[in-house]
Amino acid sequence: MEYETPLFLRVMEYASSADRDVIDMVSGNPDWDPPDALRDGLREYVDLEPAAFQYPPSDGLLELREEIAARRGVETEQVVVTHGAGEANYLAMARALERDRGEEVVLTDPVYPYYPGKTTMLGGTQTFVPTDDRGQLDPADVRAAASEETAAIVANSPNNPTGAVYPAETIRELVAIAEEYDAVLISDEVYDHFDLSGTFESALSVDSDHRIVTNSFSKSMAITGFRVGYVIVPPHLADDVRSRHMLVNVAGSRPSQYAVLHALWETDPTYYERKRELLRERVETFTDALEAAGAEYTTPQGSFYVMARFDDYPGTLENVFRLIDEAGVAGMPGEAFGDSRTEWLRFALVSPRIEEAARRLADYFE
Amino acid sequence: MEYETPLFLRVMEYASSADRDVIDMVSGNPDWDPPDALRDGLREYVDLEPAAFQYPPSDGLLELREEIAARRGVETEQVVVTHGAGEANYLAMARALERDRGEEVVLTDPVYPYYPGKTTMLGGTQTFVPTDDRGQLDPADVRAAASEETAAIVANSPNNPTGAVYPAETIRELVAIAEEYDAVLISDEVYDHFDLSGTFESALSVDSDHRIVTNSFSKSMAITGFRVGYVIVPPHLADDVRSRHMLVNVAGSRPSQYAVLHALWETDPTYYERKRELLRERVETFTDALEAAGAEYTTPQGSFYVMARFDDYPGTLENVFRLIDEAGVAGMPGEAFGDSRTEWLRFALVSPRIEEAARRLADYFE
């Protein structure tokens, strides 16, 4: 399995070189505006003195770490600001594997393709646990897959690509399994602000030395290019995570951190609520059209992806290209996410033209 | 040996909590202004549409890679924009070690402490080759230290901490040694804009499949906090470097890259010349005072560090603290840079108060 971005790039390139108008529903890049306060923060930063243009503290601007800690109910010492959730997950997985408690990483199928990619890079092996049709993970299946060789269990809720939001009980059980096997539950919660179901539960709600939570502002503030994320680690793992962060990246990007901090301070909760409302509308528009087209589809509880299955149209790269050429809609092939969704396509609801995309699909498949 | 930053942090913290005025000559953070065009670029970025706030291409904004390639005389495909030279060196060393041509990394003594730190993290071992009193590296010594086990040779010219600039012949020989042993010369050239001698030679001047050049805009544009660097790799190593970059960091920080690109386009060469002139003046002021104080010292050919040895005052952390308390000047202990400079202290010429610092040292040691 390739990890997402190269495949995603191939789809993007194909779509942009297509000889027709194509609606881009490929990537996880929000199409909406970041908070106004984010721009204000960056505007303020531009004119600061030279000292403000130099290295921030390696683990992040102190006020940013304090703000994150206060919001998440943890100690500031447990927070390391990272170069997006990408680095946060890398640090968490590296730490789990370096504990010499096994080389196996338990992942779900379907899976966000960076997780298996990072696992291989870090010298680990993957064990995949299938989720059900709605993307829900049965903790009993995870327990059956886990062993003394398990270094980490990686969970992502709200989930990309399924849109599943795991109930509190699943999260509690995953932490318990990590404890049983002296492993680490890595809970990637980057879509927490896009819980459309009201049932999202952070792994932080379960106190444990065996769980690491990763997150970022990339999705919640619509700034995937700023690269500001964070990892919340148990105190006894914090030093090692800091060391690797320092040895790989030295420190994060200061203008990005400064702007995010300002946005955290000054952004009203209604900003996030409006984005959820926008997504709910897009989900409804899009799934109504899929229904009309006679497709099977997922209705996301969270995140911003819809998966769809059309008759005799498996989720191959070839069919994604064909859909671009013949219907003018670009999605991701389900085969990019593992063995269990090879019949499916994934559509990201990050275009202002969801209604038009839905109409095109309905017309094409009717 | 610890790597630099934790020790550097301890010195900074000690200095800032001291009960007196302290002149900070600890870190490699320039105290001068970034190019005006850098601020202009960032100001322009603030008001761009949301799409400009999303992921840049993983290997960097295309125009930035093209601009770097044109300036360095390489193909655009060979350039990967990184999160500073920190990540660039990490990627280069990882690639060298992953070739399975040995686990040994040949480093100099004194050494920039991140290199041995990264080596250990990546599972390699260090072999140190002493430089001479002026910090010059004898290629014959490197050849004697190299073996079939050598994965990489890491060179840094202009050098931190010695200020040495390696002549063209040294660079050529280092590349030749890397070729002989099927290893990789990693040439870290972050201080290339601070060549005060006019003798700097980039490893790019030697065409070879066995050398990787790393660099950043952190020092040249006085923006260590922006985290924009790059690695120039031989074509056959480029894909693997890209993959690791993607799996660790996904992509770089877009506002930072945008601002740097604008600054590259719009900054006159006189900006860099003025900074070199400023440094030449600081070197003269500072070394004159060291001369008056009866100290041994280095006169840097490049970079912005001066090393000094005072009678009966070894370069320990304890003595650095004492110098802060008793003289009001903060430097770095020589022992941070390896075994060969334990008698020395390093002073970074990145304070507007160099003259005052020099006077304090002269008074203290006279």
mmCIF file of all heavy atoms in Angstrom, chain B residues 28-59:
data_model
loop_
_atom_site.group_PDB
_atom_site.id
_atom_site.type_symbol
_atom_site.label_atom_id
_atom_site.label_comp_id
_atom_site.label_asym_id
_atom_site.label_seq_id
_atom_site.Cartn_x
_atom_site.Cartn_y
_atom_site.Cartn_z
ATOM 1 N N GLY B 28 23.080 30.928 18.245
ATOM 2 C CA GLY B 28 23.346 31.326 16.870
ATOM 3 C C GLY B 28 22.197 32.109 16.262
ATOM 4 O O GLY B 28 21.990 32.070 15.053
ATOM 5 N N ASN B 29 21.470 32.838 17.091
ATOM 6 C CA ASN B 29 20.355 33.655 16.609
ATOM 7 C C ASN B 29 20.820 35.045 16.208
ATOM 8 O O ASN B 29 21.186 35.844 17.067
ATOM 9 C CB ASN B 29 19.329 33.835 17.730
ATOM 10 C CG ASN B 29 18.396 32.649 17.869
ATOM 11 O OD1 ASN B 29 18.162 31.922 16.905
ATOM 12 N ND2 ASN B 29 17.881 32.458 19.061
ATOM 13 N N PRO B 30 20.777 35.381 14.939
ATOM 14 C CA PRO B 30 21.173 36.742 14.531
ATOM 15 C C PRO B 30 20.339 37.791 15.262
ATOM 16 O O PRO B 30 19.155 37.583 15.531
ATOM 17 C CB PRO B 30 20.870 36.755 13.031
ATOM 18 C CG PRO B 30 20.940 35.336 12.602
ATOM 19 C CD PRO B 30 20.435 34.542 13.767
ATOM 20 N N ASP B 31 20.965 38.909 15.587
ATOM 21 C CA ASP B 31 20.247 40.007 16.251
ATOM 22 C C ASP B 31 19.873 41.098 15.249
ATOM 23 O O ASP B 31 19.289 42.101 15.634
ATOM 24 C CB ASP B 31 21.096 40.603 17.372
ATOM 25 C CG ASP B 31 22.365 41.263 16.851
ATOM 26 O OD1 ASP B 31 23.181 40.570 16.201
ATOM 27 O OD2 ASP B 31 22.547 42.473 17.074
ATOM 28 N N TRP B 32 20.228 40.900 13.986
ATOM 29 C CA TRP B 32 19.956 41.933 12.998
ATOM 30 C C TRP B 32 18.645 41.672 12.264
ATOM 31 O O TRP B 32 18.041 40.617 12.423
ATOM 32 C CB TRP B 32 21.115 42.056 12.001
ATOM 33 C CG TRP B 32 21.591 40.767 11.424
ATOM 34 C CD1 TRP B 32 21.077 40.102 10.348
ATOM 35 C CD2 TRP B 32 22.687 39.971 11.906
ATOM 36 N NE1 TRP B 32 21.781 38.950 10.119
ATOM 37 C CE2 TRP B 32 22.771 38.843 11.059
ATOM 38 C CE3 TRP B 32 23.620 40.105 12.951
ATOM 39 C CZ2 TRP B 32 23.745 37.853 11.237
ATOM 40 C CZ3 TRP B 32 24.569 39.107 13.125
ATOM 41 C CH2 TRP B 32 24.627 38.006 12.276
ATOM 42 N N ASP B 33 18.242 42.653 11.482
ATOM 43 C CA ASP B 33 16.947 42.610 10.817
ATOM 44 C C ASP B 33 16.940 41.650 9.624
ATOM 45 O O ASP B 33 17.911 41.588 8.879
ATOM 46 C CB ASP B 33 16.604 44.013 10.288
ATOM 47 C CG ASP B 33 15.376 44.567 10.979
ATOM 48 O OD1 ASP B 33 14.369 43.846 11.052
ATOM 49 O OD2 ASP B 33 15.448 45.709 11.453
ATOM 50 N N PRO B 34 15.837 40.943 9.432
ATOM 51 C CA PRO B 34 15.677 40.188 8.177
ATOM 52 C C PRO B 34 15.530 41.164 7.015
ATOM 53 O O PRO B 34 15.290 42.359 7.231
ATOM 54 C CB PRO B 34 14.395 39.396 8.402
ATOM 55 C CG PRO B 34 13.637 40.140 9.436
ATOM 56 C CD PRO B 34 14.663 40.806 10.316
ATOM 57 N N PRO B 35 15.640 40.693 5.793
ATOM 58 C CA PRO B 35 15.425 41.579 4.642
ATOM 59 C C PRO B 35 14.024 42.195 4.689
ATOM 60 O O PRO B 35 13.065 41.521 5.078
ATOM 61 C CB PRO B 35 15.544 40.637 3.437
ATOM 62 C CG PRO B 35 16.284 39.443 3.917
ATOM 63 C CD PRO B 35 15.959 39.309 5.375
ATOM 64 N N ASP B 36 13.911 43.447 4.284
ATOM 65 C CA ASP B 36 12.580 44.085 4.236
ATOM 66 C C ASP B 36 11.618 43.271 3.381
ATOM 67 O O ASP B 36 10.424 43.167 3.690
ATOM 68 C CB ASP B 36 12.695 45.499 3.628
ATOM 69 C CG ASP B 36 13.407 46.450 4.575
ATOM 70 O OD1 ASP B 36 13.474 46.149 5.790
ATOM 71 O OD2 ASP B 36 13.902 47.493 4.102
ATOM 72 N N ALA B 37 12.149 42.700 2.310
ATOM 73 C CA ALA B 37 11.280 41.952 1.387
ATOM 74 C C ALA B 37 10.679 40.721 2.047
ATOM 75 O O ALA B 37 9.627 40.232 1.625
ATOM 76 C CB ALA B 37 12.062 41.542 0.141
ATOM 77 N N LEU B 38 11.343 40.209 3.077
ATOM 78 C CA LEU B 38 10.782 39.071 3.794
ATOM 79 C C LEU B 38 9.510 39.485 4.523
ATOM 80 O O LEU B 38 8.481 38.799 4.451
ATOM 81 C CB LEU B 38 11.797 38.511 4.787
ATOM 82 C CG LEU B 38 11.270 37.254 5.479
ATOM 83 C CD1 LEU B 38 11.972 36.006 4.962
ATOM 84 C CD2 LEU B 38 11.374 37.355 6.978
ATOM 85 N N ARG B 39 9.568 40.625 5.193
ATOM 86 C CA ARG B 39 8.357 41.123 5.869
ATOM 87 C C ARG B 39 7.277 41.451 4.824
ATOM 88 O O ARG B 39 6.098 41.159 5.039
ATOM 89 C CB ARG B 39 8.680 42.372 6.692
ATOM 90 C CG ARG B 39 9.629 42.115 7.874
ATOM 91 C CD ARG B 39 9.812 43.416 8.673
ATOM 92 N NE ARG B 39 10.876 43.350 9.663
ATOM 93 C CZ ARG B 39 10.697 43.039 10.958
ATOM 94 N NH1 ARG B 39 9.494 42.769 11.397
ATOM 95 N NH2 ARG B 39 11.711 43.012 11.794
ATOM 96 N N ASP B 40 7.701 42.049 3.711
ATOM 97 C CA ASP B 40 6.724 42.374 2.656
ATOM 98 C C ASP B 40 6.025 41.117 2.150
ATOM 99 O O ASP B 40 4.815 41.111 1.927
ATOM 100 C CB ASP B 40 7.412 43.067 1.474
ATOM 101 C CG ASP B 40 7.969 44.426 1.859
ATOM 102 O OD1 ASP B 40 7.540 44.979 2.898
ATOM 103 O OD2 ASP B 40 8.848 44.937 1.131
ATOM 104 N N GLY B 41 6.809 40.068 1.976
ATOM 105 C CA GLY B 41 6.239 38.821 1.480
ATOM 106 C C GLY B 41 5.222 38.257 2.448
ATOM 107 O O GLY B 41 4.139 37.799 2.054
ATOM 108 N N LEU B 42 5.553 38.283 3.730
ATOM 109 C CA LEU B 42 4.637 37.748 4.732
ATOM 110 C C LEU B 42 3.381 38.613 4.832
ATOM 111 O O LEU B 42 2.264 38.099 4.993
ATOM 112 C CB LEU B 42 5.356 37.668 6.085
ATOM 113 C CG LEU B 42 4.710 36.793 7.160
ATOM 114 C CD1 LEU B 42 4.457 35.372 6.663
ATOM 115 C CD2 LEU B 42 5.590 36.758 8.424
ATOM 116 N N ARG B 43 3.578 39.928 4.699
ATOM 117 C CA ARG B 43 2.436 40.856 4.749
ATOM 118 C C ARG B 43 1.472 40.570 3.584
ATOM 119 O O ARG B 43 0.258 40.581 3.743
ATOM 120 C CB ARG B 43 2.959 42.298 4.692
ATOM 121 C CG ARG B 43 1.969 43.355 5.141
ATOM 122 C CD ARG B 43 2.611 44.736 5.194
ATOM 123 N NE ARG B 43 3.504 44.908 6.322
ATOM 124 C CZ ARG B 43 4.821 45.111 6.264
ATOM 125 N NH1 ARG B 43 5.425 45.149 5.087
ATOM 126 N NH2 ARG B 43 5.531 45.260 7.353
ATOM 127 N N GLU B 44 2.054 40.304 2.423
ATOM 128 C CA GLU B 44 1.248 39.988 1.247
ATOM 129 C C GLU B 44 0.485 38.675 1.455
ATOM 130 O O GLU B 44 -0.687 38.545 1.094
ATOM 131 C CB GLU B 44 2.201 39.846 0.050
ATOM 132 C CG GLU B 44 1.571 39.651 -1.285
ATOM 133 C CD GLU B 44 2.662 39.618 -2.371
ATOM 134 O OE1 GLU B 44 3.213 40.696 -2.710
ATOM 135 O OE2 GLU B 44 2.970 38.520 -2.871
ATOM 136 N N TYR B 45 1.171 37.722 2.083
ATOM 137 C CA TYR B 45 0.583 36.391 2.292
ATOM 138 C C TYR B 45 -0.670 36.457 3.155
ATOM 139 O O TYR B 45 -1.639 35.728 2.906
ATOM 140 C CB TYR B 45 1.625 35.479 2.948
ATOM 141 C CG TYR B 45 1.134 34.081 3.232
ATOM 142 C CD1 TYR B 45 1.174 33.098 2.249
ATOM 143 C CD2 TYR B 45 0.624 33.736 4.486
ATOM 144 C CE1 TYR B 45 0.722 31.815 2.503
ATOM 145 C CE2 TYR B 45 0.162 32.456 4.747
ATOM 146 C CZ TYR B 45 0.220 31.501 3.753
ATOM 147 O OH TYR B 45 -0.235 30.238 4.010
ATOM 148 N N VAL B 46 -0.648 37.322 4.170
ATOM 149 C CA VAL B 46 -1.738 37.387 5.154
ATOM 150 C C VAL B 46 -3.113 37.478 4.497
ATOM 151 O O VAL B 46 -4.084 36.909 4.993
ATOM 152 C CB VAL B 46 -1.527 38.590 6.108
ATOM 153 C CG1 VAL B 46 -2.752 38.807 6.986
ATOM 154 C CG2 VAL B 46 -0.301 38.385 6.977
ATOM 155 N N ASP B 47 -3.193 38.198 3.375
ATOM 156 C CA ASP B 47 -4.508 38.459 2.777
ATOM 157 C C ASP B 47 -4.843 37.568 1.587
ATOM 158 O O ASP B 47 -5.810 37.826 0.869
ATOM 159 C CB ASP B 47 -4.591 39.940 2.370
ATOM 160 C CG ASP B 47 -4.546 40.840 3.592
ATOM 161 O OD1 ASP B 47 -5.335 40.591 4.522
ATOM 162 O OD2 ASP B 47 -3.720 41.774 3.632
ATOM 163 N N LEU B 48 -4.064 36.521 1.394
ATOM 164 C CA LEU B 48 -4.373 35.621 0.274
ATOM 165 C C LEU B 48 -5.627 34.792 0.564
ATOM 166 O O LEU B 48 -6.092 34.701 1.691
ATOM 167 C CB LEU B 48 -3.184 34.698 0.002
ATOM 168 C CG LEU B 48 -1.892 35.376 -0.483
ATOM 169 C CD1 LEU B 48 -0.816 34.325 -0.743
ATOM 170 C CD2 LEU B 48 -2.115 36.222 -1.735
ATOM 171 N N GLU B 49 -6.142 34.194 -0.479
ATOM 172 C CA GLU B 49 -7.358 33.364 -0.368
ATOM 173 C C GLU B 49 -7.050 32.097 0.453
ATOM 174 O O GLU B 49 -5.888 31.706 0.594
ATOM 175 C CB GLU B 49 -7.874 33.012 -1.762
ATOM 176 C CG GLU B 49 -7.051 31.966 -2.527
ATOM 177 C CD GLU B 49 -5.724 32.485 -3.079
ATOM 178 O OE1 GLU B 49 -5.346 33.664 -2.817
ATOM 179 O OE2 GLU B 49 -5.041 31.702 -3.763
ATOM 180 N N PRO B 50 -8.096 31.439 0.984
ATOM 181 C CA PRO B 50 -7.897 30.258 1.831
ATOM 182 C C PRO B 50 -7.019 29.176 1.201
ATOM 183 O O PRO B 50 -6.263 28.507 1.909
ATOM 184 C CB PRO B 50 -9.322 29.737 2.069
ATOM 185 C CG PRO B 50 -10.190 30.940 1.950
ATOM 186 C CD PRO B 50 -9.532 31.816 0.913
ATOM 187 N N ALA B 51 -7.108 29.006 -0.115
ATOM 188 C CA ALA B 51 -6.320 27.937 -0.748
ATOM 189 C C ALA B 51 -4.828 28.115 -0.490
ATOM 190 O O ALA B 51 -4.076 27.138 -0.410
ATOM 191 C CB ALA B 51 -6.598 27.891 -2.253
ATOM 192 N N ALA B 52 -4.381 29.366 -0.338
ATOM 193 C CA ALA B 52 -2.962 29.638 -0.102
ATOM 194 C C ALA B 52 -2.546 29.313 1.327
ATOM 195 O O ALA B 52 -1.367 29.373 1.666
ATOM 196 C CB ALA B 52 -2.649 31.106 -0.403
ATOM 197 N N PHE B 53 -3.533 28.962 2.174
ATOM 198 C CA PHE B 53 -3.229 28.600 3.562
ATOM 199 C C PHE B 53 -3.150 27.071 3.736
ATOM 200 O O PHE B 53 -2.961 26.587 4.837
ATOM 201 C CB PHE B 53 -4.302 29.171 4.510
ATOM 202 C CG PHE B 53 -4.135 30.644 4.779
ATOM 203 C CD1 PHE B 53 -3.896 31.546 3.763
ATOM 204 C CD2 PHE B 53 -4.202 31.141 6.079
ATOM 205 C CE1 PHE B 53 -3.734 32.900 4.011
ATOM 206 C CE2 PHE B 53 -4.040 32.499 6.346
ATOM 207 C CZ PHE B 53 -3.811 33.379 5.308
ATOM 208 N N GLN B 54 -3.303 26.349 2.633
ATOM 209 C CA GLN B 54 -3.303 24.881 2.726
ATOM 210 C C GLN B 54 -1.924 24.326 2.340
ATOM 211 O O GLN B 54 -1.044 25.052 1.905
ATOM 212 C CB GLN B 54 -4.415 24.308 1.845
ATOM 213 C CG GLN B 54 -5.787 24.966 2.063
ATOM 214 C CD GLN B 54 -6.212 25.038 3.530
ATOM 215 O OE1 GLN B 54 -5.987 24.096 4.292
ATOM 216 N NE2 GLN B 54 -6.782 26.165 3.958
ATOM 217 N N TYR B 55 -1.773 22.997 2.528
ATOM 218 C CA TYR B 55 -0.498 22.323 2.240
ATOM 219 C C TYR B 55 0.205 22.889 1.016
ATOM 220 O O TYR B 55 -0.364 22.884 -0.081
ATOM 221 C CB TYR B 55 -0.714 20.839 1.921
ATOM 222 C CG TYR B 55 -1.283 19.992 3.023
ATOM 223 C CD1 TYR B 55 -2.514 19.364 2.872
ATOM 224 C CD2 TYR B 55 -0.577 19.774 4.194
ATOM 225 C CE1 TYR B 55 -3.044 18.544 3.876
ATOM 226 C CE2 TYR B 55 -1.106 18.970 5.196
ATOM 227 C CZ TYR B 55 -2.335 18.358 5.033
ATOM 228 O OH TYR B 55 -2.858 17.555 6.012
ATOM 229 N N PRO B 56 1.463 23.280 1.149
ATOM 230 C CA PRO B 56 2.259 23.486 -0.072
ATOM 231 C C PRO B 56 2.643 22.100 -0.598
ATOM 232 O O PRO B 56 2.419 21.098 0.088
ATOM 233 C CB PRO B 56 3.494 24.227 0.454
ATOM 234 C CG PRO B 56 3.656 23.744 1.853
ATOM 235 C CD PRO B 56 2.260 23.464 2.371
ATOM 236 N N PRO B 57 3.192 22.018 -1.811
ATOM 237 C CA PRO B 57 3.713 20.710 -2.238
ATOM 238 C C PRO B 57 4.675 20.185 -1.170
ATOM 239 O O PRO B 57 5.382 20.957 -0.524
ATOM 240 C CB PRO B 57 4.466 21.044 -3.535
ATOM 241 C CG PRO B 57 3.810 22.298 -4.045
ATOM 242 C CD PRO B 57 3.408 23.064 -2.817
ATOM 243 N N SER B 58 4.674 18.868 -0.996
ATOM 244 C CA SER B 58 5.482 18.297 0.082
ATOM 245 C C SER B 58 6.945 18.704 -0.019
ATOM 246 O O SER B 58 7.586 19.005 0.990
ATOM 247 C CB SER B 58 5.365 16.770 0.068
ATOM 248 O OG SER B 58 6.161 16.224 1.090
ATOM 249 N N ASP B 59 7.484 18.741 -1.224
ATOM 250 C CA ASP B 59 8.908 19.089 -1.357
ATOM 251 C C ASP B 59 9.136 20.589 -1.523
ATOM 252 O O ASP B 59 10.250 21.010 -1.831
ATOM 253 C CB ASP B 59 9.571 18.297 -2.486
ATOM 254 C CG ASP B 59 8.843 18.424 -3.810
ATOM 255 O OD1 ASP B 59 7.903 19.249 -3.904
ATOM 256 O OD2 ASP B 59 9.212 17.715 -4.763
#
